Amino acid sequence: MREEDMGGSRVLLSEREGAEWLVLTRLASSGSGAWGRLPEILAETHNVILPRHGRPGGGEGARVLGGFARDIERLVNEMGAERYHLVGWNGGAQIALQATQEHPQRLASLTLLSPFRAWGECRQVEKGIEFIELFLRSGRRDLYVWYWFMAGLSDSYVAENFEEVERLVSMRLENDPFVALDVDEAMAWMRELRRDHVSDEALRRVAIPALVMTGCLNRWHAGPTPEMAERIADLLPVAELHLSADCGSMMPVEAPDFVAEQVLRWVSENPSEKM
């Protein structure tokens, strides 16, 4: 994949003539390395766009997330694609849900990886956020990033791939603008991501087929949790839910081949060309 400047936005891009378009989105910058090998695997058979979203900044969450969804539409327009498949992970799943409201006619399918929803044991989620705030206010942003990765991965993956985890921590600290936010701003966004910016009623009207995936090893108690994924799958009219007992919320890092297999299966079952 190559990096390009498209309309003032930096994106990672891979093009294959005649292939369908996949857009991968999450709030953590593409330069943070958090996607692992997944983009490269998908790019072996598909056109892939991986935007580098800017700082979330201040403002009302739905407005900012909706702006990121419109950025994606602009990028897809620039590439000349009429319809595309959208893969949203964590905060990117919030962006994907906004896209279902902004331009549903452009979306052939959704894949929501470890999505957030205001559902389940929210007291647990709030305590997890308080732990994170302690890390950030102590000045140890590196500890927050270590906690974020290690709590989202299985014990076996961390034990067998510690040097890789160390590399990912360094990449996120160096390249993700979210980590550099003012503490108050960062904590406001922690809570914005766990709110419902698209209502239950609006989700019940979404006709786009959605694959919802998450890991069940929920050690990062601030979420995303399996209950959040279950709630979204229950609300969406056309949805398939997959819960992995062996992974946490960092599924694309720990199991990129499995995630790619499921994404490509879903894309093949829901082609962008209307039949």
Side-chain angles (χ1 to χ4, degrees):
M1 298 184 70
R2 67 182 188 277
E3 187 172 35
E4 286 193 6
D5 190 323
M6 296 176 60
S9 299
R10 300 299 292 174
V11 300
L12 290 176
L13 176 67
S14 174
E15 293 181 85
R16 286 184 169 273
E17 186 175 354
E20 294 191 88
W21 287 93
L22 278 73
V23 177
L24 279 59
T25 180
R26 62 165 299 148
L27 281 183
S29 169
S30 59
S32 69
W35 283 98
R37 294 174 43 243
L38 183 62
E40 287 74 19
I41 297 172
L42 297 175
E44 292 175 2
T45 55
H46 288 72
N47 295 312
V48 174
I49 299 177
L50 182 54
R52 288 194 173 186
H53 297 298
R55 292 169 62 106
E60 196 267 332
R63 179 185 61 79
V64 176
L65 295 166
F68 288 150
R70 290 188 291 276
D71 287 343
I72 290 172
E73 185 181 22
R74 177 178 53 80
L75 292 173
V76 173
N77 285 339
E78 190 165 334
M79 297 308 301
E82 292 188 8
R83 302 180 79 227
Y84 69 99
H85 304 271
L86 185 53
V87 180
W89 179 21
N90 281 180
Q94 291 277 30
I95 296 171
L97 293 179
Q98 288 290 327
T100 67
Q101 309 301 300
E102 294 282 344
H103 48 269
Q105 73 283 357
R106 306 296 298 277
L107 298 172
S109 77
L110 294 174
T111 300
L112 305 176
L113 301 174
S114 301
F116 290 111
R117 196 76 183 163
W119 192 256
E121 182 49 270
C122 291
R123 292 174 301 174
Q124 166 189 304
V125 170
E126 183 58 36
K127 286 301 176 186
I129 292 174
E130 290 177 18
F131 287 137
I132 292 165
E133 185 168 8
L134 280 175
F135 288 136
L136 295 179
R137 293 203 183 281
S138 74
R140 294 296 306 273
R141 293 173 187 255
D142 61 320
L143 287 181
Y144 154 64
V145 178
W146 272 106
Y147 176 56
W148 186 73
F149 274 110
M150 293 181 70
L153 297 165
S154 69
D155 289 338
S156 60
Y157 183 89
V158 173
E160 296 169 9
N161 301 275
F162 194 82
E163 290 184 357
E164 174 63 10
V165 178
E166 190 172 40
R167 185 184 72 84
L168 291 171
V169 168
S170 296
M171 288 184 67
R172 188 174 182 203
L173 284 169
E174 292 172 8
N175 297 297
D176 187 0
F178 188 88
V179 179
L181 287 176
D182 171 82
V183 174
D184 289 335
E185 196 173 10
M187 295 314 302
W189 265 98
M190 289 285 182
R191 291 181 168 87
E192 284 292 337
L193 289 178
R194 289 153 180 82
R195 295 191 175 110
D196 296 344
H197 299 293
V198 179
S199 70
D200 289 0
E201 293 73 19
L203 287 188
R204 290 189 179 101
R205 294 192 295 269
V206 172
I208 303 153
L211 173 65
V212 184
M213 300 177 64
T214 198
C216 293
L217 298 180
N218 175 33
R219 300 184 301 172
W220 186 28
H221 300 300
T225 66
E227 292 78 15
M228 294 177 179
E230 290 173 331
R231 177 60 174 170
I232 290 175
D234 285 343
L235 290 169
L236 291 168
V238 186
E240 177 181 310
L241 176 66
H242 187 100
L243 302 178
S244 175
D246 301 321
C247 295
S249 62
M250 304 295 292
M251 288 181 71
V253 173
E254 184 164 357
D257 293 303
F258 172 73
V259 173
E261 177 185 353
Q262 295 302 312
V263 170
L264 293 175
R265 174 186 63 82
W266 194 246
V267 166
S268 68
E269 293 175 4
N270 300 281
S272 59
E273 292 297 326
K274 292 182 178 180
M275 305 302 290

